[in-house]
Amino acid sequence: MTITSPPASEPLTRQASHHVSQSVFDGSRLRVVLLVEVYDGAQQQFLETYEQLRSHVESVPGHLGEQLCQSIENPSQWLITSEWESAPPFLNWVSSEEHVRMVKPLHSCVRDTRSLRFHVVRETGHPGAGAGTARGGLQTSPRIGDGVIRHALTFTVKPGSEGAVGEILADYASPEPRVDDTTRLCRTSLFLHGNRVVRAIEVRGDLLAALRHVAEQPEVRAVEEAINPYLEQVRDLGDPESARVFYTRAALPAVHHVTAGEEDPAARRQALSYPARPGCGMRLARLLADRDEAAADDPHSPVLCSTIFQRDDVVVRMVDVRGRLDAGDPSVSLGLTDPAQVAELTTLLDGPAGTAGPAPAGGDLTRALGGARMELVTDRRSPGA
């Protein structure tokens, strides 16, 4: 048995900065593990539904293959593993409306699911077989994290209701931060940009357990019911299927997190919204990730850490900065100090700014910063976080 890793002279993936603790952009293969608990007597229905899904996903770009496994101890427990060339193709697929529609029949025969996603760091193979070269790269080195999982939800409200929604979201009692012995809520940050709401959370421990815990808290349930009349997407939180579809569409995964490796108690949390042109969301997120990695090595940068969230063409960059976001160079605050990348940004953005041409001047960048800046509704840390 041989443990295969990338040759030093021929890196198979992009080498990430040592400041990066989370990223989908290193080019390495992705292994997705889905743990499924099937209702008793529903195995045949589950198999038939899975076959329909499998026959379609085989044609999805970036999909390499998968396995369906049944527990030898409990026939109600199933495991689906799939392999992808890299994380972006999988994320594009799993966030698509087509995927939401195709997995809907599974919900009637599945009691519980849990999805886990891993980049491939090492693998076994035969000497000289070139494992990892034909099907994508391996993660070049393990990333060092801070024990915090970052995730966000986003949804839109009816135009004109932003003020009322902002008041509701700013004025509620914080839920109990302790989930269990191993999981704790650390921080919740809420932003508005036009009629779009973004709720970013930081968790230590089990993200799924934390999300379920929050959803069960009376304080949160009261807030969710209060904003229901203002939502553009109709939902019924009393209907598990309606709630599941809403939160599936609302998921805004963190695709990149980088920190400068220092903390400042006076740092301010801000967020910027970069509306991407159709089909350009992932490219835009990667462009911002590249610049944030470079900024992490600059001791003069006001940005202490950055988290990029992306789903489809919604790209949000949340940053902790020294001082005011608009106090310095707007290109630094936007995360684009390279003139060539500023020019590239204009080709990826949706709206009047998204036009090809020379890099924007300082005044244009200032206007772009003002247009991208999100309104901070609330930023709460749990005690001891």
Side-chain angles (χ1 to χ4, degrees):
M1 181 176 73
T2 302
I3 301 297
T4 306
S5 58
S9 59
E10 299 180 10
L12 301 176
T13 63
R14 189 189 73 165
Q15 180 66 54
S17 163
H18 66 281
H19 295 300
V20 174
S21 63
Q22 182 176 356
S23 182
V24 304
F25 298 123
D26 65 3
S28 55
R29 294 202 310 279
L30 182 75
R31 172 71 66 182
V32 180
V33 178
L34 182 65
L35 304 172
V36 180
E37 184 84 17
V38 177
Y39 287 119
D40 294 338
Q43 281 87 349
Q44 188 59 41
Q45 179 188 353
F46 168 72
L47 280 174
E48 292 172 358
T49 305
Y50 168 77
E51 282 300 319
Q52 295 177 6
L53 185 62
R54 181 190 61 80
S55 63
H56 179 82
V57 76
E58 285 179 338
S59 64
V60 175
H63 179 264
L64 299 176
E66 65 184 82
Q67 292 180 323
L68 174 66
C69 311
Q70 186 176 24
S71 169
I72 63 174
E73 299 168 334
N74 183 349
S76 295
Q77 292 180 345
W78 295 75
L79 174 69
I80 302 172
T81 65
S82 62
E83 190 171 9
W84 297 75
E85 289 179 356
S86 61
F90 167 76
L91 292 176
N92 284 334
W93 154 244
V94 81
S95 66
S96 68
E97 282 298 312
E98 184 178 29
H99 180 265
V100 173
R101 175 180 58 81
M102 295 198 70
V103 300
K104 189 175 181 180
L106 283 176
H107 299 153
S108 61
C109 55
V110 169
R111 179 182 293 109
D112 193 23
T113 62
R114 181 177 180 82
S115 179
L116 304 171
R117 300 145 188 196
F118 302 87
H119 275 147
V120 181
V121 180
R122 298 290 184 268
E123 63 181 359
T124 59
H126 298 290
T133 59
R135 304 167 65 196
L138 303 181
Q139 184 177 310
T140 54
S141 59
R143 287 184 288 272
I144 307 301
D146 54 6
V148 175
I149 304 170
R150 296 166 176 87
H151 188 70
L153 297 172
T154 185
F155 51 86
T156 56
V157 297
K158 297 173 183 176
S161 68
E162 296 89 349
V165 170
E167 290 182 7
I168 294 171
L169 295 176
D171 186 23
Y172 71 94
S174 297
E176 167 59 42
R178 182 183 181 277
V179 178
D180 53 37
D181 291 342
T182 60
T183 301
R184 183 180 181 85
L185 300 172
C186 298
R187 191 170 184 176
T188 300
S189 307
L190 273 156
F191 301 92
L192 270 170
H193 188 259
N195 69 328
R196 178 170 295 281
V197 177
V198 172
R199 176 191 293 154
I201 64 170
E202 297 179 359
V203 174
R204 289 189 182 274
D206 187 330
L207 175 62
L208 184 58
L211 292 175
R212 289 174 173 170
H213 167 79
V214 170
E216 294 168 355
Q217 299 305 298
E219 303 91 344
V220 175
R221 292 184 69 87
V223 169
E224 297 290 351
E225 293 293 345
I227 65 173
N228 261 350
Y230 303 109
L231 298 178
E232 286 198 314
Q233 179 187 340
V234 178
R235 69 178 182 185
D236 178 4
L237 294 180
D239 176 4
E241 181 61 23
S242 176
R244 182 184 293 110
V245 170
F246 177 85
Y247 286 115
T248 296
R249 288 178 173 148
L252 187 64
V255 295
H256 195 83
H257 177 75
V258 61
T259 176
E262 57 180 294
E263 295 185 6
D264 185 343
R268 300 186 181 189
R269 174 150 290 187
Q270 307 281 351
L272 298 154
S273 175
Y274 303 74
R277 287 190 170 187
C280 294
M282 190 66 74
R283 284 178 57 198
L284 177 56
R286 178 159 188 165
L287 171 65
L288 295 170
D290 285 341
R291 293 313 308 158
D292 280 336
E293 284 191 35
D297 294 320
D298 180 1
H300 303 293
S301 173
V303 178
L304 297 176
C305 70
S306 166
T307 306
I308 298 171
F309 303 93
Q310 182 263 332
R311 178 191 177 94
D312 297 330
D313 300 318
V314 177
V315 181
V316 172
R317 177 169 165 263
M318 186 174 69
V319 293
D320 289 351
V321 297
R322 300 184 183 93
R324 293 174 54 86
L325 190 66
D326 53 2
D329 184 345
S331 66
V332 174
S333 298
L334 284 165
L336 296 161
T337 54
D338 185 330
Q341 291 192 320
V342 172
E344 183 180 357
L345 173 69
T346 65
T347 69
L348 300 177
L349 288 177
D350 196 17
T355 56
D364 295 327
L365 282 175
T366 300
R367 285 190 291 275
L369 176 61
R373 185 171 180 175
M374 304 187 76
E375 175 190 351
L376 178 64
V377 177
T378 184
D379 181 34
R380 306 182 182 200
R381 292 176 181 265
S382 64

